[in-house]
Amino acid sequence: VPNLIQKDDIEEIYKECKNDCLDQDLEPTYLNVYNQFVTRVKQNIHVCMCMSPGSRQFRTRLRMFPSLVNCCTIDWFSPWPAEALLSVGTQKVEESGLEFKE
């Protein structure tokens, strides 16, 4: 993404990742520092993406980007019945020691 990182941020990134290079006995060249930054990003990036599973676009995107299924954790959320909500809520209130009045 062009211009994602501002010039001030690049200087801070360089300072931080330069230490990674030195710790690994790498010369702190621009390329080595950049590679350390990319490694940090890959290790720490988390993305939450929400899509409606009933839409045609969802199926199309899954076909276009199979890693959305193969390399991700998918949580399917659907409406809970009122009885289940009450049961979970009651259990949590009782565990916390609060009084529950029906």
Side-chain angles (χ1 to χ4, degrees):
V1 178
N3 299 319
L4 179 66
I5 302 171
Q6 301 300 317
K7 208 168 211 168
D8 297 341
D9 296 330
I10 291 174
E11 292 172 9
E12 186 67 29
I13 289 167
Y14 184 83
K15 288 178 193 175
E16 290 292 323
C17 294
K18 179 180 174 184
N19 293 332
D20 289 350
C21 287
L22 295 173
D23 291 344
Q24 296 180 12
D25 294 327
L26 294 172
E27 186 176 333
T29 64
Y30 180 80
L31 183 61
N32 286 340
V33 170
Y34 179 77
N35 285 335
Q36 290 302 313
F37 172 68
V38 170
T39 300
R40 275 188 179 193
V41 170
K42 285 180 180 179
Q43 289 174 348
N44 295 303
I45 194 164
H46 299 280
V47 176
C48 179
M49 183 170 39
C50 301
M51 293 187 276
S52 172
S55 69
R56 182 176 292 173
Q57 280 184 329
F58 181 68
R59 288 188 297 274
T60 301
R61 286 193 179 111
L62 291 181
R63 286 187 197 109
M64 291 172 55
F65 307 103
S67 63
L68 288 174
V69 174
N70 300 330
C71 303
C72 296
T73 299
I74 299 176
D75 289 329
W76 297 97
F77 295 101
S78 56
W80 279 33
E83 183 180 326
L85 289 172
L86 182 62
S87 173
V88 170
T90 303
Q91 179 183 354
K92 293 297 178 185
V93 168
E94 288 172 354
E95 287 174 5
S96 68
L98 298 173
E99 290 186 27
F100 179 69
K101 297 178 182 177
E102 292 188 37

